[in-house]
Amino acid sequence: MKTLELHLAVSLLQARYAQAIDDDRLEDWPGFFTEDCFYSITSHENHVRGLAAGIVWCDNQGMLKDRVSGLREANIYERHRYRHVLSMPATVQPEGDRVRAQTPFAVYRITRNRPSELFVTGCYHDEYRITGEDDLKIARRVVVCDSSVFDTLLAIPL
């Protein structure tokens, strides 16, 4: 794929990813990743300092599926949903069968009895793997949140 095609492919994947989460189709979420993927959520401060610690850490697709299963069957939390607002990917760098991209985002949280509120802002630091002629999967996603203060209701994937 050429750079412009990659930029469009990354943008479309990002839109489908956010829509799956926002529509509460969480069982679809692991399917956006490769089987040997890495997914974490960390703060900007930790990311800049090179600290690997994150508040969420999954190093394969099975762990993502377990996370969804836990949300559906085990965890008890205030029911809410998200609305993602995504920027165009700020950078798209092809490297062989991989593509690196950074995409700024904002996520609003919607609860039953309160107004929608800005929940978190940050940037996806991604590495995609080209898996077909026009198909990408997320091989690595580090969700870098702008704030180092995390809401206790960070249950749904970002």
Side-chain angles (χ1 to χ4, degrees):
M1 284 190 256
K2 296 179 180 176
T3 302
L4 187 57
E5 292 170 336
L6 285 172
H7 204 98
L8 180 60
V10 168
S11 296
L12 289 172
L13 184 135
Q14 294 281 31
R16 291 194 309 265
Y17 174 99
Q19 187 176 34
I21 294 170
D22 293 351
D23 289 349
D24 195 32
R25 292 183 288 113
L26 300 182
E27 288 74 12
D28 294 349
W29 176 63
F32 290 96
F33 293 85
T34 61
E35 288 189 23
D36 61 345
C37 69
F38 176 80
Y39 173 87
S40 75
I41 299 175
T42 190
S43 69
H44 177 75
E45 181 180 346
N46 278 359
H47 183 72
V48 167
R49 294 175 63 195
L51 302 174
I55 62 167
V56 175
W57 182 279
C58 301
D59 63 4
N60 62 62
Q61 191 185 60
M63 292 179 75
L64 302 178
K65 291 176 182 175
D66 286 347
R67 186 167 171 77
V68 172
S69 177
L71 287 169
R72 296 293 195 211
E73 300 170 22
N75 298 346
I76 298 171
Y77 57 94
E78 179 184 1
R79 188 152 175 82
H80 63 280
R81 60 186 179 91
Y82 293 159
R83 175 66 61 206
H84 285 73
V85 178
L86 303 173
S87 167
M88 291 288 289
T91 60
V92 175
Q93 299 172 326
E95 297 174 13
D97 69 339
R98 296 181 183 253
V99 179
R100 295 184 190 278
Q102 294 184 13
T103 306
F105 68 88
V107 175
Y108 290 83
R109 181 172 54 195
I110 300 101
T111 57
R112 182 179 293 179
N113 299 320
R114 290 181 284 175
S116 299
E117 62 184 0
L118 182 59
F119 183 58
V120 63
T121 61
C123 187
Y124 296 126
H125 293 244
D126 296 327
E127 179 181 301
Y128 298 90
R129 190 173 302 150
I130 300 171
T131 57
E133 190 170 314
D134 293 324
D135 194 29
L136 299 174
K137 295 264 187 187
I138 301 168
R140 179 179 179 82
R141 168 161 281 183
V142 178
V143 181
V144 179
C145 298
D146 291 329
S147 175
S148 55
V149 177
F150 291 95
D151 192 296
T152 56
L153 263 179
L154 180 57
I156 301 171
L158 293 175

